[in-house]
């Protein structure tokens, strides 16, 4: 009888932000797949979990997905985790999930931590309708996407590197208008969590003077309804 693939969210910051069910699953499965075994080892050691750990990330997932599929078909239960948050959301996970569902393997995703939801709820911007864009293309297709999103009426959520944040804010101001409201959430659930709210222009100026650090979630108001 085939096993099961569990997709398990892990804390984005504070190690207490994990569910009791997630901890039980991580203890009970035969194998844990981790984006970075060094990062995940800290979490597992904190909760005294000794389940075998194997690397599964964007650079090797195409080579390892077949082997993992066969392990599950042979009866093993496998949990997939990322460095932080829910696997598959701008992290490895989609390929394995798709492969398993195509094979008829049961995929069970646990609810849990992700950075985008706290960021939009704390932003003060409308969160009844929103679109998640993840990381913008660094080069090819970036300007085309920004132009298309300039008329998006839903609140938009982006992930961004602290090294590219100011450039992205400036480009968004160029395409959306400098007065478009936004919020930058930094280091969610960590000691130095910060939410900087204002217009695209004012927030860009702030981070031009104070270089941002850590994990960044950028929330931008949608275009006014016509």
């Amino acid at each position: 009888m085939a096993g099961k693939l569990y997709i398990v969210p892990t804390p984005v910051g504070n190690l207490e932000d994990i569910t009791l069910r997630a901890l039980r699953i991580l203890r009970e499965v035969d194998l844990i797949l981790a984006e970075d075994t060094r990062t995940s080892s800290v979490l597992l050691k904190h909760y005294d979990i000794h389940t075998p750990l194997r690397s599964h990330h964007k650079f090797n997932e195409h080579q390892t997905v077949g082997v993992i599929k066969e392990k599950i078909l042979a009866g093993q239960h496998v949990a997939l985790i990322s460095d932080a948050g829910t696997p598959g959301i701008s992290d490895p996970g989609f390929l394995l999930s798709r492969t398993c569902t195509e094979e008829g393997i049961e995929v069970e995703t646990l609810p849990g931590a992700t950075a985008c939801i706290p960021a939009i709820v704390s932003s003060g911007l409308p969160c009844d309708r929103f679109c998640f864009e993840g990381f913008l293309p660094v080069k090819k297709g970036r300007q085309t996407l920004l132009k298309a999103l300039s008329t998006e009426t839903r609140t938009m959520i982006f992930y961004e590197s602290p090294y590219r944040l100011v450039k992205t804010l400036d480009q968004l101001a160029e395409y959306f208008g400098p007065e478009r409201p936004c919020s930058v959430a930094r280091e969610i659930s960590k000691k130095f969590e910060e939410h900087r709210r204002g217009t695209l222009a004012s927030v860009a100026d702030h981070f031009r003077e104070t270089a941002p650090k850590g994990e960044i979630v950028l929330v931008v108001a949608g275009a006014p309804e016509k």
Side-chain angles (χ1 to χ4, degrees):
M1 184 176 178
K4 184 188 292 188
L5 172 66
Y6 293 93
I7 298 180
V8 181
T10 53
V12 297
N14 194 311
L15 291 181
E16 294 179 359
D17 294 337
I18 190 167
T19 67
L20 295 175
R21 181 178 167 214
L23 294 174
R24 176 178 62 79
I25 294 296
L26 293 176
R27 289 191 176 98
E28 291 179 353
V29 294
D30 301 293
L31 176 67
I32 297 173
L33 303 175
E35 183 180 4
D36 187 326
T37 55
R38 295 166 299 181
T39 301
S40 297
S41 291
V42 175
L43 175 68
L44 299 180
K45 182 178 179 181
H46 181 80
Y47 286 106
D48 196 29
I49 296 172
H50 303 284
T51 306
L53 196 61
R54 177 171 176 170
S55 177
H56 182 80
H57 48 72
K58 65 180 180 180
F59 300 109
N60 74 356
E61 60 181 347
H62 285 86
Q63 290 75 39
T64 60
V65 67
V67 175
I68 296 163
K69 177 193 72 176
E70 293 302 323
K71 287 180 178 292
I72 299 174
L73 286 172
Q76 289 196 18
H77 296 295
V78 175
L80 174 67
I81 61 177
S82 63
D83 288 350
T86 300
I89 306 298
S90 293
D91 281 321
F94 165 71
L95 179 62
L96 180 59
S97 176
R98 183 180 65 181
T99 300
C100 288
T101 54
E102 289 176 346
E103 197 68 38
I105 294 169
E106 185 176 356
V107 177
E108 188 171 327
T109 302
L110 279 62
T114 186
C116 60
I117 299 303
I120 188 172
V121 173
S122 297
S123 71
L125 297 172
C127 53
D128 54 336
R129 296 173 63 246
F130 62 89
C131 61
F132 174 75
E133 293 295 328
F135 288 96
L136 286 166
V138 177
K139 294 181 181 178
K140 187 177 180 181
R142 186 180 178 95
Q143 292 183 343
T144 301
L145 179 57
L146 289 175
K147 185 177 180 180
L149 290 174
S150 66
T151 57
E152 172 60 65
T153 57
R154 295 170 294 178
T155 303
M156 293 162 277
I157 306 174
F158 304 92
Y159 287 164
E160 191 51 279
S161 158
Y163 308 107
R164 290 194 298 266
L165 177 62
V166 171
K167 177 183 177 181
T168 295
L169 288 167
D170 285 339
Q171 287 183 320
L172 289 171
E174 177 185 347
Y175 283 89
F176 296 2
E179 297 305 309
R180 183 78 70 92
C182 74
S183 173
V184 171
R186 191 178 67 82
E187 294 289 81
I188 288 175
S189 188
K190 298 179 182 177
K191 182 178 180 180
F192 298 106
E193 179 172 344
E194 175 190 16
H195 297 265
R196 177 64 55 171
R197 305 172 183 88
T199 64
L200 287 168
S202 67
V203 174
D205 287 341
H206 168 77
F207 285 111
R208 230 185 304 276
E209 297 176 3
T210 307
K213 297 179 181 179
E215 303 291 330
I216 302 289
V217 183
L218 170 59
V219 183
V220 183
E225 296 274 6
K226 293 184 179 179

